[in-house]
Amino acid sequence: MALPNYAYFKGSIVPYGEAKVGVLNHALNYGTAVFGGIRAYWNGDSEQLYLFRPIDHYKRFLSSAKLLCMEFDNTPESLTKVTINLLKEEGFRCNAYVRPLAYKADEIIGVKLHDLQDEIAIVSLPFERYVSNDTNAHVTFSSWRRVDDNVIPARGKISGAYVNSAFIKTDALRSGFDEALVLNEDGHVSEGSAENIFMLRDGVLITPPVTDNILEGITRRTAMELARSELGLTVVERQIDRTEVYICDEFFMTGTAAQITAVTRVDHRPIGSGQMGPVTTQLRGVFEDVVYGRNSEYRHWNVPVYV
Ligand code: PMP
């Protein structure tokens, strides 16, 4: 992966090589940082790069920061503006990924959250697919459990908590799967290593509630809204048992990186026919039109970079 050319660092856009922290950096040592992930989609017809729902992403980013007792003057709007300037500087004419990071910047020994220097850094880079088999992924139930709200809150995108995701993902990939699903301590399905999940049973789309140790995904919210308004589906938030997944009709994962990834096998069992189903296929099509700014109804989610 090529490195970015620029970074937003300590309040200004600098060459990427100048955006550095020391080895004693608090966030590096203790995981005391929060991050985001935002996609920008290049629409070749209108020669425009559209950030997808950056205000919603930055609202969640600042909420995550709040969980770590961070205080910033920045607003979702001001961070979106910085991001636009950064993308303009990079001059991308391709799909891109934006990675904001808020971190405890002190170089000290001592575990705590308060009375530390909080900084924000943002970088962006070209980005295409995250899950390579995004029309026919084979996933497994991880032997790991999801971090609990009273351990490290999953609703905050907290860097240290992603060691949990890394355990889950590495074991799945090394066992030959494309991704993994993870259970809560009570045995209910929470999410993927970096994706929310949806199952279709008897025509109803079901996803775990925000109280089941999930990250409150922006793509999850998008998929729910599009499923209701464009596909006319009933969408229900409720707990999901592991074995419901084995017998459901369709299953997909959502995430900024994963977009809408169709899961066609779970633990060697075919989902439905074992092929991507009609609802997932239709939703992926609607989603693609929306993120590339081709559906005027949802244009408020597309923030143009080059104006
Ligand atoms: N769950 C986890 C653990 C994630 O890391 C992500 C990716 N940000 C998601 C769900 C999906 O969230 P979003 O749609 O906002 O990218």
Side-chain angles (χ1 to χ4, degrees), residues 3-23:
L3 292 175
N5 292 310
Y6 299 97
Y8 175 77
F9 186 70
K10 294 191 173 169
S12 51
I13 294 176
V14 299
Y16 178 75
E18 290 177 19
K20 290 206 166 100
V21 298
V23 289

Side-chain angles (χ1 to χ4, degrees), residues 60 146 157 162 191 193-196 215 217-219 254-256:
R60 185 181 69 196
R146 173 52 87 212
K157 216 168 153 50
Y162 277 74
E191 55 180 344
S193 72
E195 302 88 7
N196 294 114
L215 183 79
I218 310 298
T219 322
T254 63
T256 297

